[in-house]
Amino acid sequence: MAKIIGGVTTSHIPAIANAMANGLEETPYWKPFFDGYPPVRDWLNEQKPDVIILFYNDHGLEFFIDKKPTFAMGVADEYYNSDEGWGIPTIPPVTGESELSWHIANSLVEDGFDMTICQEMKVDHGLTVPLNLMWPGHNYGHVKVIPVCINCEQHPMPQPKRTLALGQAIGRAVESFEDDLKVVVFGTGGMSHQLDGERAGFINRAFDIECLDKLVSDPESLTQYSNYDLVELGGAQAVELNMLIAMRGALLGEVTELHRNYHAPISNTGSGLMLLENK
Ligand code: DHB
Ligand code: FE
């Protein structure tokens, strides 16, 4: 049977791609951020997952504001990236896992999640930056990736209660897949940030750390928040916390925190890197 062995939360900001392309990892600005990653990379290289299910939000590359699926997922064998406007390097194609993807898609629709099912899907920095962070030099060719997009660009957006439930439904779907696959789930984005308006640059460290704690030990408590609460507490783009919440939902077993690195600010965000084991 397929098994979800763990989950990872990570920032996805485009500035990371530029820092990596320009070799800035050891500079004083970036070092405290990049220093968090080796333990997670080591764990992934030891565990050798076959598949990554990656929750992210499409920032306008595949789904512009004229058409926004609430939940979308890829079922393709390959995914392409192109520059959605940040000027960051385009990454090589990402390999998909269409058999498990279709199994999850069927299971989700039966379970009441009306997914937009994409046989072609361009993937943006929300997916590409985390992959390159985990396998620098674009060395992720050996892993298969299933992209799952949650709308947090254009209101109305799904609420934390619903995104946790989506993650849980994906967890159940994976566990009912017959092949012996090792799966890791990534939730990318967040944490507190606001990119424009009067509160541009707003970061709430205490709230971010509380969210990381709750993601470990009491994810249900995060469903008390509406997206408007997230905006108030963490800034307009803190709704990206929904990706982290969905990731945690997919971990249905006993969850242990193996590693954490919270660092702020990095660009305009609070960055929460966390590795969770699922037994
Ligand atoms: C930034 C944050 C994001 O979530 C994003 O998608 C792009 C940029 C930033 O803070 O720079
Ligand atoms: Fe983002």
Side-chain angles (χ1 to χ4, degrees), residues 195-217:
L195 300 182
D196 52 17
E198 275 177 25
R199 286 204 306 172
F202 177 78
I203 287 176
N204 184 345
R205 283 166 179 265
F207 177 62
D208 286 345
I209 288 164
E210 187 187 318
C211 284
L212 289 172
D213 291 344
K214 286 179 173 168
L215 280 170
V216 182
S217 56

Side-chain angles (χ1 to χ4, degrees), residues 11 47 58 64 75 85 92 114 116 148 153 156-157 174 204 246 250-251:
S11 171
Q47 297 294 326
D58 180 281
F64 199 59
V75 292
D114 304 320
T116 297
V148 181
E153 303 297 306
M157 303 165 182
V174 171
N204 184 345
L251 309 180

